[in-house]
C-alpha cells in the first residue's frame, strides 16, 4: 500500500517535471519540481528558509496550544455548569459558523500588525471547534458509569477527574487532530492579512511579484510541516490511547 | 432492619408531563437478608434502587436506611477500561476518601479470596464477562458496604455465564454476610437467590405479592433443583399476570 502511494506521488511529480520541460505546461506559471527544489536550496543558502519556517511554526504551535488549552478549559466549565451550557451553546454554534477571516480588519486594529494578530487569528479559528469537540466528548460519557460514580457518593470534581477526563481522552486526541489542521489555516490566513515573514508571507509575496516558484516552494514546505505535525499528533494518540480501550 | 420503604411514591417530571414510577411501596429488608424485587420491564425497579440508595428523594412516604454504607451494582459492570482490575477495585475507596492502607489491603484480600489474584494487574478488556462481573462485585464490596443494591447485575450476561455468576455472587454475598436488595425481571433468578421475593405490578410499581423462600439448603443450585421451585414460579407468574 505504501509502495503504491509513493509510486503515485513519484509518477505525478515526474509527469509535472516532464510537461514543464517539454513545454506542455508553462513553467513560469506552473513551476516544476526541479525549480521548486532549486528555490528551496536558494532560500536555504540565503539563510532565510529557516527564519520563515520558524516564524510560521511558532505562530501555528503557539496558536494551537492556546486554542486547545482554552477550548478544553471552557468545555470543562460548561460541563460543570449546565445552565451556563444551555445559555452559551447557541453563541458557540453561531461563532463556529462565522467565517473568522471576516474579523481580519478588526484584529489588525485591535492587535496591531505583529505576530500577536496572527496568533490571535489562529486561536480564533481553532478554539470554537476545540470547545465543541471536548464538550461533546464530556457529555457522551457512559450514563451507567456516571450512575456508578454518583452511587459511590462522588461529587462533580471527582466525576470530572476520575471519569469524565479519562473517558474523553479519545475525544481529546481527536480534538488535537482537528485543531492541528485549523491552526495551520489560521496562521497562514493571518499571514495573508498581515505579516512581514513566514511561509504565508512568502506565498503572498511570490504571488504579487509573479514568482510562482516561490509560491510552490513555500506551499510544498507547508505541506511537509502540516503533515509532520499531524503525524506527531497521531503518534501521540497511538501511544496514549493505545490498547487500553474497548 | 437494614432498609425499609414505608408508603413510598415517586413521580418524575419530564417535558411530556408527570410519570408516576412508584406508588405506595412498603417493604422491609432485614440485616443479612437477600431480598428480590421482581416486576415487568420498565416498572420502575431501577427507580426503587435509586430511592434506596438515596440518590433521589421520595415524592411521598419514607425510606428508612438503617445506617451503614450502601454499595451499588449495576446492569453492566461499568469497569473503567483505563484502569487495571486492582485500580477499578480501589475506585470506591478513592471516592469515599477511605483510601487507607488498611482498606486497600482488605480489598486486595477479598480479591484474592475470590480468585482475582492473577488478574489484578490486567485491564478489564482482558477478562471474560463473568469475570468482569466478579470484579464489579469485589469493587462494590471494597468500600465495605453493609447493604448491596443490585440492579439486574446479570442481565448483560449470556444464559450459561449468568447461571454460574448468579451462584458465584450469591455465595460471596452470603459468606461476607451482606444484606442485599436485588431488582430483576427474571422469576427463576429471584427465587434461586433470595430469602424473600417481592412481586411488583407494572408501573407505577406497587407490591402484589411477597414470599419467603425456605426450601433448599440456601444455595441457588439446591433451590433450582427443589420441587417447590416450580410451584413458587407459577405463583409469581400469576401475580405478575404473565
Amino acid at each position: 500500500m505504501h509502495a503504491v502511494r509513493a509510486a503515485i506521488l513519484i509518477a505525478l511529480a515526474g509527469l509535472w517535471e516532464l510537461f514543464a520541460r517539454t513545454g506542455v505546461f508553462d513553467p513560469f506559471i506552473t513551476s516544476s519540481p526541479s525549480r521548486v527544489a532549486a528555490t528551496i536550496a536558494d532560500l536555504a543558502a540565503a539563510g532565510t528558509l529557516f527564519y520563515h519556517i520558524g516564524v510560521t511554526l511558532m505562530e501555528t504551535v503557539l496558536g494551537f496550544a492556546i486554542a486547545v488549552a482554552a477550548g478544553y478549559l471552557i468545555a470543562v466549565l460548561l460541563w460543570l455548569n449546565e445552565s451556563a451550557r444551555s445559555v452559551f451553546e447557541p453563541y458557540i454554534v453561531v461563532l463556529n459558523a462565522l467565517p473568522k477571516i471576516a474579523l481580519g480588519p478588526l484584529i489588525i486594529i485591535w492587535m496591531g500588525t505583529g505576530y500577536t494578530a496572527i496568533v490571535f487569528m489562529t486561536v480564533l479559528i481553532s478554539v470554537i471547534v476545540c470547545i465543541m469537540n471536548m464538550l461533546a466528548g464530556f457529555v457522551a460519557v457512559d450514563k451507567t458509569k456516571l450512575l456508578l460514580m454518583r452511587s459511590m457518593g462522588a461529587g462533580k470534581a471527582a466525576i470530572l477527574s476520575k471519569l469524565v477526563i479519562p473517558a474523553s481522552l479519545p475525544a481529546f486526541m481527536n480534538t488535537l487532530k482537528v485543531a492541528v489542521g485549523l491552526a495551520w489555516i489560521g496562521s497562514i490566513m493571518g499571514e495573508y492579512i498581515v505579516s512581514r515573514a513566514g511561509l504565508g508571507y512568502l506565498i503572498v509575496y511570490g504571488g504579487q511579484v509573479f514568482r510562482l516558484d516561490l509560491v510552490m516552494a513555500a506551499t510544498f514546505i507547508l505541506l511537509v510541516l502540516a503533515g509532520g505535525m499531524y503525524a506527531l499528533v497521531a503518534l501521540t494518540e497511538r501511544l496514549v490511547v493505545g490498547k487500553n480501550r474497548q | 432492619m437494614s432498609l425499609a420503604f414505608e408508603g413510598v411514591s415517586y413521580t418524575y417530571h419530564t417535558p411530556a408531563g408527570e410519570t408516576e414510577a412508584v406508588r405506595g411501596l412498603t417493604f422491609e429488608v432485614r440485616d443479612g437478608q437477600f431480598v428480590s424485587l421482581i416486576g415487568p420491564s420498565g416498572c420502575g425497579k431501577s427507580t426503587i434502587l435509586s430511592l434506596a440508595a438515596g440518590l433521589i428523594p421520595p415524592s411521598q412516604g419514607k425510606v428508612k436506611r438503617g445506617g451503614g454504607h450502601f454499595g451499588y451494582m449495576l446492569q453492566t459492570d461499568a469497569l473503567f477500561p483505563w484502569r487495571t482490575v486492582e485500580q477499578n477495585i480501589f475506585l470506591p475507596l478513592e471516592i469515599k476518601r477511605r483510601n487507607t492502607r488498611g482498606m486497600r489491603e482488605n480489598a486486595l484480600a477479598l480479591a484474592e479470596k475470590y480468585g482475582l489474584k492473577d488478574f489484578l494487574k490486567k485491564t478489564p478488556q482482558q477478562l471474560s464477562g463473568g469475570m468482569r462481573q466478579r470484579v464489579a462485585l469485589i469493587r462494590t464490596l471494597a468500600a465495605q458496604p453493609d447493604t448491596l443494591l443490585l440492579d439486574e447485575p446479570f442481565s448483560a450476561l449470556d444464559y450459561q455465564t449468568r447461571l454460574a455468576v448468579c451462584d458465584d455472587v450469591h455465595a460471596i454475598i452470603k459468606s461476607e454476610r451482606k444484606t442485599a436488595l436485588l431488582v430483576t425481571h427474571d422469576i427463576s433468578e429471584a427465587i434461586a437467590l433470595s430469602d424473600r421475593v417481592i412481586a411488583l405490578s407494572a408501573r407505577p410499581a406497587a407490591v402484589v405479592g411477597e414470599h419467603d423462600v425456605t426450601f433448599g439448603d440456601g444455595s441457588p443450585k439446591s433451590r433450582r433443583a427443589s420441587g417447590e421451585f416450580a410451584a413458587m414460579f407459577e405463583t409469581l407468574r400469576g401475580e405478575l399476570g404473565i
Side-chain angles (χ1 to χ4, degrees):
Chain A
M1 193 55 103
H2 287 303
V4 176
R5 281 187 197 134
I8 290 174
L9 196 65
I10 291 166
L12 284 175
L15 275 178
W16 183 9
E17 184 70 36
L18 184 73
F19 287 165
R21 281 183 192 248
T22 53
V24 179
F25 291 166
D26 179 357
F28 182 66
I29 303 290
T30 63
S31 188
S32 72
S34 59
R35 292 171 69 135
V36 167
T39 308
I40 294 174
D42 288 346
L43 284 172
T48 52
L49 177 65
F50 293 104
Y51 171 64
H52 289 295
I53 289 178
V55 166
T56 304
L57 209 54
M58 181 273 288
E59 291 158 355
T60 311
V61 172
L62 195 61
F64 166 78
I66 295 173
V68 170
Y72 200 100
L73 190 70
I74 294 170
V76 166
L77 294 174
L78 291 178
W79 179 85
L80 284 171
N81 190 332
E82 249 172 80
S83 41
R85 185 159 81 216
S86 39
V87 169
F88 286 110
E89 231 163 15
Y91 285 99
I92 294 171
V93 172
V94 171
L95 277 178
N96 187 47
L98 174 77
K100 262 67 78 180
I101 190 143
L103 300 174
L106 279 181
I107 294 174
I108 294 172
I109 293 166
W110 291 344
M111 304 268 157
T113 52
Y115 300 130
T116 329
I118 297 168
V119 172
F120 189 72
M121 185 64 137
T122 310
V123 173
L124 209 58
I125 283 185
S126 340
V127 74
I128 303 287
V129 171
C130 290
I131 298 173
M132 288 171 72
N133 254 9
M134 281 325 300
L135 196 56
F138 291 162
V139 175
V141 166
D142 183 8
K143 299 279 174 292
T144 316
K145 293 190 172 96
L146 279 173
L147 178 63
L148 175 81
M149 292 293 284
R150 292 209 302 126
S151 78
M152 290 175 182
K156 279 216 157 179
I159 292 178
L160 184 71
S161 66
K162 298 206 186 290
L163 173 60
V164 172
I165 288 178
S168 60
L169 190 62
F172 176 64
M173 297 314 298
N174 200 31
T175 301
L176 290 188
K177 279 195 210 162
V178 177
V180 163
L182 288 175
W184 282 104
I185 295 177
S187 61
I188 296 302
M189 216 149 76
E191 287 184 354
Y192 278 8
I193 299 173
V194 45
S195 68
R196 284 180 222 99
L199 294 168
Y201 164 79
L202 285 185
I203 291 171
V204 171
Y205 172 74
Q208 283 166 351
V209 299
F210 241 75
R211 280 185 57 200
L212 280 311
D213 294 338
L214 188 58
V215 175
M216 288 292 190
T219 310
F220 175 74
I221 295 168
L222 206 56
L223 199 71
V224 172
L225 288 177
M229 203 158 145
Y230 184 86
L232 208 64
V233 172
L235 178 72
T236 315
E237 180 182 28
R238 275 220 300 283
L239 292 177
V240 174
V241 180
K243 290 172 284 179
N244 285 351
R245 294 283 160 171
Q246 286 166 305
Chain B
M1 185 271 298
S2 179
L3 176 73
F5 274 53
E6 291 175 1
V8 171
S9 298
Y10 184 77
T11 305
Y12 58 85
H13 306 269
T14 59
E18 290 190 347
T19 306
E20 196 179 12
V22 178
R23 181 184 291 170
L25 200 61
T26 300
F27 68 88
E28 191 187 341
V29 184
R30 285 189 291 275
D31 282 335
Q33 233 182 5
F34 197 123
V35 175
S36 289
L37 296 173
I38 175 163
S41 289
C43 80
K45 296 189 293 282
S46 297
T47 307
I48 297 172
L49 284 194
S50 293
L51 285 161
L55 293 177
I56 49 175
S59 310
Q60 266 175 35
K62 237 186 211 168
V63 178
K64 287 188 174 168
R65 288 141 53 89
H69 296 287
F70 281 74
Y72 216 118
M73 213 176 148
L74 301 161
Q75 288 174 17
T76 58
D77 52 63
L79 295 174
F80 292 0
W82 54 88
R83 283 172 167 246
T84 62
V85 166
E86 184 179 66
Q87 290 166 336
N88 266 290
I89 289 172
F90 290 157
L91 179 69
L93 305 183
E94 294 168 23
I95 289 169
K96 290 175 193 282
R97 298 184 192 285
R98 296 169 71 195
N99 195 10
T100 60
R101 196 173 160 174
M103 289 295 283
R104 281 200 302 276
E105 278 173 1
N106 226 308
L108 287 179
L110 267 176
E112 284 183 20
K113 185 170 166 191
Y114 297 113
L116 292 177
K117 191 180 178 192
D118 298 331
F119 300 97
L120 288 171
K121 302 290 176 202
K122 292 198 189 302
T123 55
Q125 302 85 290
Q126 294 171 286
L127 306 187
S128 66
M131 216 49 171
R132 291 174 64 115
Q133 209 48 271
R134 190 187 286 201
V135 175
L137 176 62
I138 301 301
R139 175 185 61 194
T140 313
L141 293 173
Q144 300 181 347
D146 305 289
T147 306
L148 296 176
L149 304 171
L150 312 169
D151 188 356
E152 302 200 43
F154 317 113
S155 59
L157 304 171
D158 65 81
Y159 185 68
Q160 292 186 6
T161 311
R162 187 173 176 153
L163 278 182
V165 174
C166 248
D167 289 4
D168 190 36
V169 166
H170 183 268
I172 295 173
I173 289 175
K174 281 294 172 191
S175 83
E176 296 300 319
R177 293 195 181 82
K178 301 294 181 192
T179 309
L181 178 62
L182 166 76
V183 298
T184 178
H185 61 266
D186 185 326
I187 304 178
S188 53
E189 189 174 283
I191 303 171
L193 288 168
S194 321
D195 303 314
R196 196 145 49 86
V197 181
I198 298 169
L200 299 173
S201 64
R203 199 163 67 191
V207 176
V208 291
E210 212 168 333
H211 309 272
D212 286 318
V213 185
T214 47
F215 52 86
D217 61 7
S219 73
K221 216 171 181 174
S222 73
R223 284 184 183 152
R224 287 183 200 272
S226 161
E228 289 158 86
F229 185 89
M232 185 169 276
F233 189 97
E234 282 311 312
T235 311
L236 282 164
R237 215 177 134 166
E239 286 169 352
L240 294 169
I242 309 168

